[in-house]
Structures are given as C-alpha cells and as structure tokens.
Amino acid sequence: MEASATRKASKFNHGIIDCDVHQCVKSYDDLKPYMPRVWWDRLKAHNATLPFLLYRSIPLERSDAAPGNGLPPGSDPEFAKADLLDRYNIERAILTGNLLSISAHNNPDYAAALASAFNDYTMDTWLPSDERWLGSIVIATQDPLLAAKEIDRLGSHPRVVQVLMTSGSREPYGQRRYYPIYEAAVRNNLVIGIHGGGEGDGINPPTTAAGYPTTNFERHNILAIHHMSQLNSLVCEGVFETFPTLKVAFIEGGLGWLPHLMWRMDKNFRAMRSEVPWLKYKPSEYILKHVRLTTQPIEEPDNRELVQMLQLMRAEKTVMFSTDYPHWDNDAPLFVLNKLPEEMRRRVAYENAAEMYQLQERGLLAGGVAK
C-alpha cells in the first residue's frame, strides 16, 4: 500500500471499527499445548483444517501482509498492529480467525478440540498484545452441545464480543438442533457472527444448489447464496422470536442480495404466513432489528448505483465496516467509506458496530475500562 494512502487514512475524520480480521497461528504446532495429545497426529496431517480443493489462481492471503521470516500473513499480532490498526487508525478490530472449514470436519470431537485450542491461543497471544483487538469464540457446529460449552467457557472474557460460525453447514442454522448455541450466546450477551467458509467442504453440501462448480471463479461469484440461505432459515424458523435479544452479523458475504431477499420474503409472507404462525412481523422487520452485514466484499457498481443499493438495504442501520485483512481482496477503509454519503459513512464506519457489539456498555471503546 502506498504511503499516500496511509497519509489520507490518518486524516479520516471518523472512528473506524473493523469487523473482520483474520488472525492465524504461526504453525499448527502452536496449538498442541492447548489440545489433548490424541489429536496431535491429525493436527499435522495435510487435511488438518480441510484445505480448499479447487485450484486458486490467487493465494488467499496477501503476500505483503506477511511479517517476514517465512511466517504466514496474519500470524504476528505486532506486525498486524502496525500494518492495519496503526496504518488506518482503527479504534477496534474484531478477530475472526482462519478456521473457516471448522464445521465441515466429519469428527465433531476433533473439530471442537481444534476450535477450543485456537480460541485459547487467541486469548493468550493476540488479545494481550493490544487493547484494540476484540475476540470471537470460534465454534464447530457439528455438535451444538459441545459448542455451547465452549461459549460458556470463554463467554465471560471482557474482550470477547462474538461467537463465530461458518456459513457452510450440514443443515440450515434456523433448525432447532442449533438452539443450544443461541441459548449460550444470549446467556453470555454475545453476537452470533456467521462468516463465509466451509461451503462444499467435508460433510457439508455442495458449494452451489446445482452441485459442484468447476473453478474458484464460478464458486466465488455465488458464495452469497449460503449467507442468504442461513438468514432465510433463521428468520423463517422463528429464531428471533425464540431468542428476542439475539443479534447476528453476516460477515464476508456481500451486500447486494439483501434488498431482493427482504422483498421476496415479505411478498411470500403475505401469501404463506400460515406456514410460519410463530412470526409476528414481516421477515424484513426481523432482519432490520436483529441482523447486520459487513462491507467486504462489497459489490462495486458505479458510485451512484452503489449508494442506491446501500439505501435500499438501510445501510445506515444494517451495514458495518470490515477490511477482511489480510485476504487478497481485502478493502482499505478509504476504498469503501469515501464512496458513502456523510451520514451513512459515520454509521457504517463506526456507530453500527459499536451498537451491535455494545462496545460502549462493555467499556471497550476509547477511555473504557475493560482489559
């Protein structure tokens, strides 16, 4: 990134909260101290975290985000502080990890142990390095009871604000078998984050509704259907009626699909509401109250159409900023935020996330008390 971009970023006149930063381990050996020895051999296997099977012409992470000495991008909190937080004056950044196929493993006990070890590593290595880092509890959703135990184990940590699930799953997340996860999130006053990942991997269904694509380009174009499917399920199955204080952030799933989905859900609700008698309001009303989305990877039409799209989805209420650092297609703050009208810019850059994660109430904004 050019120095001029850094200078411009330093003059940005709003606070910035980044809702998607992917930290990782330097080596998976770093997780061994946190895992039962029975899993160590599997941890070092080539499919320890279900590597992506389709050919990728572009590596997932930016090479210039690597801290040096052969370490992977996103593995050094000190380097990431300088390269991301300091460079763009980001006040808080929510860590989302890199276990993006965690819920695709066939063995639920191994997946749960891997998630737990990664969480402990994050708590020990990343959160103490700078108060600007905020944590997510990564869970494997194959066994919701184990996932709920993990949420309760770490949910009282003062710098943890979110439970992280992946959009790839064996069944839609609105189904009742996942209720222990939502009960634990509500019990610990945590947001549920649903991040792209695991689609078509392991035990999960194919990447598309029509089967498996041939190329990563084809897959990448339609990844948002998984976020759409999960949101549709959560609303229609009545999750927000059962858990009226639950908040859900859809992370790294695009934005442009939201108006269309809300329109279609509301239209069908008028004709088929007898199938969902538990819903007291229009589907769009649940979405506006309970759901937020992140900017990256934002669709990029010309600026006039972009603003129109954001207005249609009430972005001043529903959208939060994210960089997706250090992925190859991550967005610097000015790339997105300078395209927005002033009032919307302030809400997207800072206020929506501060409200969603209750950062002021938790003492997690500048001048707060949480450590």
Side-chain angles (χ1 to χ4, degrees), residues 171-323:
E171 296 95 16
Y173 283 146
Q175 296 184 4
R176 279 168 281 183
R177 79 181 208 89
Y178 294 108
Y179 278 15
I181 293 173
Y182 308 138
E183 290 169 352
V186 169
R187 188 161 56 242
N188 289 279
N189 195 27
L190 298 173
V191 170
I192 291 286
I194 298 179
H195 190 291
E199 305 90 353
D201 291 332
I203 62 173
N204 289 342
T207 309
T208 82
Y212 290 93
T214 302
T215 65
N216 187 39
F217 172 69
E218 183 181 347
R219 163 193 167 271
H220 211 271
N221 291 337
I222 47 82
L223 277 178
I225 62 171
H226 300 274
H227 286 75
M228 295 172 67
S229 299
Q230 300 292 11
L231 176 55
N232 188 44
S233 177
L234 289 168
V235 173
C236 293
E237 296 273 5
V239 169
F240 298 120
E241 279 295 332
T242 304
F243 305 100
T245 63
L246 185 67
K247 303 290 186 181
V248 179
F250 281 85
I251 306 167
E252 201 174 330
L255 300 169
W257 50 269
L258 184 62
H260 147 259
L261 182 62
M262 290 196 296
W263 296 335
R264 190 169 183 84
M265 292 172 76
D266 284 354
K267 175 186 75 72
N268 289 336
F269 182 62
R270 288 194 293 271
M272 294 184 279
R273 64 185 307 166
S274 62
E275 292 192 56
V276 286
W278 43 82
L279 296 187
K280 299 175 182 177
Y281 309 101
K282 293 188 299 182
S284 62
E285 294 181 63
Y286 290 103
I287 292 171
L288 292 173
K289 181 178 180 181
H290 295 271
V291 173
R292 301 294 179 262
L293 297 87
T294 61
T295 55
Q296 203 286 332
I298 196 166
E299 292 78 4
E300 299 174 29
D302 70 48
N303 200 56
R304 179 178 58 85
E305 292 175 340
L306 173 65
V307 172
Q308 288 176 336
M309 178 187 77
L310 293 170
Q311 289 170 335
L312 288 173
M313 69 182 68
R314 300 273 304 278
E316 73 283 354
K317 180 179 179 69
T318 61
V319 177
M320 307 182 298
F321 174 73
S322 64
T323 60

Side-chain angles (χ1 to χ4, degrees), residues 15-20 92-94 134 161-162 191 247 249 292-294 315-322 344-362 364-365:
I16 299 175
I17 297 172
D18 186 349
C19 295
D20 187 22
R92 294 293 183 270
I94 300 173
L134 302 178
V161 298
Q162 180 170 254
V191 170
K247 303 290 186 181
R292 301 294 179 262
L293 297 87
T294 61
E316 73 283 354
K317 180 179 179 69
T318 61
V319 177
M320 307 182 298
F321 174 73
S322 64
M344 187 183 291
R345 182 186 303 136
R346 186 183 72 251
R347 297 289 304 171
V348 170
Y350 190 87
E351 293 177 0
N352 286 339
E355 293 168 4
M356 178 71 159
Y357 294 101
Q358 300 179 5
L359 301 186
Q360 186 70 50
E361 296 86 340
R362 294 172 178 269
L364 292 174
L365 296 181

Side-chain angles (χ1 to χ4, degrees), residues 3-180:
S4 60
T6 306
R7 289 194 295 270
K8 290 179 181 178
S10 67
K11 296 179 181 179
F12 188 70
N13 60 355
H14 299 296
I16 299 175
I17 297 172
D18 186 349
C19 295
D20 187 22
V21 176
H22 294 285
Q23 86 282 18
C24 69
V25 295
K26 295 179 173 68
S27 163
Y28 281 104
D29 285 343
D30 293 341
L31 297 184
K32 286 183 177 180
Y34 304 102
M35 295 185 75
R37 186 175 291 270
V38 67
W39 301 122
W40 285 14
D41 286 342
R42 179 159 184 173
L43 185 64
K44 65 185 180 183
H46 78 280
N47 65 341
T49 57
L50 284 174
F52 191 66
L53 299 180
L54 279 178
Y55 169 71
R56 291 188 177 191
S57 58
I58 303 173
L60 179 59
E61 290 92 9
R62 288 173 24 221
S63 60
D64 67 336
N69 298 321
L71 297 175
S75 64
D76 186 334
E78 295 300 321
F79 182 88
K81 281 163 54 177
D83 196 38
L84 177 67
L85 302 184
D86 296 341
R87 181 189 294 258
Y88 296 110
N89 293 324
I90 291 174
E91 184 172 330
R92 294 293 183 270
I94 300 173
L95 299 168
T96 51
N98 72 331
L99 299 186
L100 301 181
S101 295
I102 191 70
S103 294
H105 285 280
N106 63 309
N107 188 316
D109 294 310
Y110 171 72
L114 184 60
S116 181
F118 186 82
N119 290 332
D120 285 339
Y121 177 84
T122 297
M123 304 300 169
D124 287 351
T125 305
W126 280 78
L127 295 191
S129 72
D130 196 291
E131 67 178 6
R132 290 172 290 180
W133 300 125
L134 302 178
S136 300
I137 301 172
V138 176
I139 60 168
T141 60
Q142 297 92 319
D143 187 329
L145 293 177
L146 285 179
K149 289 181 180 179
E150 180 69 0
I151 296 168
D152 285 332
R153 184 176 76 90
L154 297 174
S156 62
H157 191 292
R159 300 253 303 285
V160 165
V161 298
Q162 180 170 254
V163 175
L164 193 82
M165 306 159 70
T166 55
S167 60
S169 64
R170 198 160 38 173
E171 296 95 16
Y173 283 146
Q175 296 184 4
R176 279 168 281 183
R177 79 181 208 89
Y178 294 108
Y179 278 15

